[in-house]
Amino acid sequence: MAGRFIEAATSRRAVLASAGALAIAGPAAARISPVTPSNPLVRQRADAQIFKHRDGQYYMTASVPEYDRLVLRRAPTLAGLSTSQETVIWRRPATGKLGGYIWAPELHWFDGAWRLYFAAGDAGAPFHIRTYVLRCQDKDPLTGRWAMEGQFQTPWDTFTLDSTVFSHRGVRYILWAQTEPGIKTNSNLYLAPMATPTTLARPPARLTVPTLDWEIRGFKVAEGPAPLHRNGKLFISYSASATDDRYCLGLLSADEDADLMAPASWSKSPEPVFKTCEETRIWGPGHNSFTVDEQGRDVLVYHGRDYKEIKGDPLFDPNRHTRVQRLYYKPDGTPDFGVPVGAGEVPDRFSPLDRPGMFLRHEGDRPVVGAGELPTTQFRQKPGLAGPGTVSLEPILKPGSVLAVGANGAVEIVPAGGGDPKRASFKRGVGLAGKGVSFAGLSGGHLRHRDGVVLVGGGDMGAATFAVT
């Protein structure tokens, strides 16, 4: 089965093994390393679902600004999705049923067929949103013939959207957002085992209702659920509030052995886990999915705008762009979403081999090696200011600034446009310790730390060799 959950549900041990293999890889592995994706990955595509299917290809579908059609694209790499040809597999009719707004498609493979779940209104009543299922009659979803399988049936004929399908302990579930009669919210989250692609095997469980301050700004919303199985837990991220800069992600958690249909099995994050970040200049991140990169490392997929002020209804502002970034985990195994990383190359974290669990990070304008909040440990490897063959390291919380070598080899954070570009550039190579990576200063020495102080110079190889995580 393809989708947000199944394709992302490789064991955590396998993910860590792949990440470790990449971090200690030698020159041969470095040569075949895929191109780093750059954000935004795909412009003007909201509610994106990206997953790596068992055929090794990445598939992507999303809402288009016109809300009038269903689209798919495919590529062998995450970065390749940005330029891959997009195929229209279905267009709404000009009149009648399904002739309204077309929202948030999701592609899934199960029972030997591709299926696309999507929300649609009617012509003349575009917000009469219900969920429908298309089935592909052929093996290739981009070239195959698609036919209507039916409307997704729930206990209430009300506003229904954002359906996703996953399996756990041999049971196939469907997870979705809906308005429930008698509850004064725009949408809540529901879960049920499936009998068929369009029907439930038992009455649904209501997992959460938006009640917290950050869930009810503008609208009372819990929508866009995305499941993830990691570290002995099931997690469901979801989107909350209005679709402007207040849009954000919350998180539900349950033990993997719990009764998923018991609402008491699920706990809710008291604060949003992912929200607008002024420093990185991304507003209203939300409606996410999960996938893995070419090395098997977890990746967060979401949309967000690169400006705050919107003219008119934010739903009709076209510039919700698809973005991707690495997903990390806290010591207790809970996902650490960090902040939306901003425009440019997807960033990395660098852990010196002599300080496992510690990272190159910054405290304000001072680079250090140590422990701290995730966003302070993420650096973008950009084309070097000194020209071809060099790289510059940009902290995500300080776009437009880079690490630079100062007096006596001390490293500082400076504006990228000022000073000597050679001092703000490095040559990246296989780590001095024979694994990982090292960054050579253009005037000699290597980027390293000495008791947590970051500098460029000589010394122990482990302090100048970084695992990339």
Side-chain angles (χ1 to χ4, degrees), residues 406-469:
N408 301 318
V411 175
E412 54 192 354
I413 298 175
V414 302
D420 183 353
K422 291 183 178 180
R423 292 185 175 273
S425 302
F426 302 88
K427 285 189 175 292
R428 181 185 59 213
V430 175
L432 296 177
K435 53 187 176 181
V437 298
S438 289
F439 297 93
L442 300 190
S443 298
H446 285 81
L447 186 70
R448 64 174 60 247
H449 78 98
R450 188 169 296 149
D451 296 326
V453 177
V454 179
L455 51 87
V456 168
D460 179 64
M461 291 188 296
T465 302
F466 298 89
V468 183
T469 68

Side-chain angles (χ1 to χ4, degrees), residues 144-342:
R145 299 161 297 160
W146 287 85
M148 181 62 64
E149 190 158 17
Q151 181 176 338
F152 172 48
Q153 302 297 317
T154 74
W156 319 286
D157 181 25
T158 58
F159 186 85
T160 309
L161 72 165
D162 296 347
S163 297
T164 190
V165 176
F166 70 95
S167 289
H168 184 64
R169 299 287 194 261
V171 178
R172 182 177 300 129
Y173 293 91
I174 187 163
L175 175 63
W176 74 98
Q178 187 168 10
T179 301
E180 181 178 342
I183 299 179
K184 294 182 179 180
T185 58
N186 298 93
S187 58
N188 315 309
L189 296 186
Y190 298 88
L191 176 71
M194 300 175 72
T196 72
T198 59
T199 61
L200 306 180
R202 57 180 286 192
R206 184 194 316 120
L207 298 189
T208 191
V209 174
T211 58
L212 302 177
D213 173 69
W214 53 271
E215 297 177 302
I216 60 173
R217 294 174 180 169
F219 296 97
K220 296 178 179 180
V221 168
E223 65 182 16
L228 180 69
H229 184 192
R230 289 288 184 270
N231 306 321
K233 295 273 192 177
L234 288 178
F235 302 102
I236 296 174
S237 60
Y238 64 96
S239 300
S241 289
T243 57
D244 52 20
D245 63 289
R246 296 170 289 183
Y247 209 47
C248 60
L249 293 183
L251 190 70
L252 303 178
S253 305
D255 289 335
E256 63 182 359
D257 296 324
D259 178 2
L260 302 189
M261 293 295 291
S265 297
W266 296 90
S267 60
K268 181 193 291 191
S269 58
E271 301 292 336
V273 296
F274 199 58
K275 60 183 181 179
T276 288
C277 181
E278 299 277 349
E279 292 93 337
T280 61
R281 303 167 190 169
I282 300 297
W283 286 266
H287 201 118
N288 78 288
S289 59
F290 298 105
T291 188
V292 293
D293 67 11
E294 291 84 347
Q295 289 77 47
R297 302 174 299 181
D298 288 347
V299 171
L300 173 68
V301 182
Y302 62 99
H303 71 236
R305 294 184 179 87
D306 51 16
Y307 52 85
K308 180 178 181 178
E309 299 302 325
I310 300 170
K311 295 181 180 179
D313 189 334
L315 191 62
F316 302 107
D317 179 279
N319 294 315
R320 294 185 292 172
H321 306 316
T322 296
R323 305 170 190 272
V324 295
Q325 63 189 65
R326 294 282 310 286
L327 181 69
Y328 296 95
Y329 293 86
K330 299 176 182 178
D332 66 358
T334 302
D336 189 344
F337 291 80
V339 300
V341 298

Side-chain angles (χ1 to χ4, degrees), residues 62-105:
S63 299
V64 301
E66 299 81 9
Y67 302 139
D68 65 349
R69 62 192 185 275
L70 298 173
V71 298
L72 293 177
R73 61 177 68 198
R74 175 174 56 200
T77 64
L78 271 175
L81 289 171
S82 64
T83 56
S84 61
Q85 183 176 355
E86 191 170 79
T87 299
V88 177
I89 65 163
W90 184 87
R91 291 185 183 274
R92 70 184 180 191
T95 60
K97 199 172 184 63
L98 284 82
Y101 298 135
I102 308 300
W103 288 345

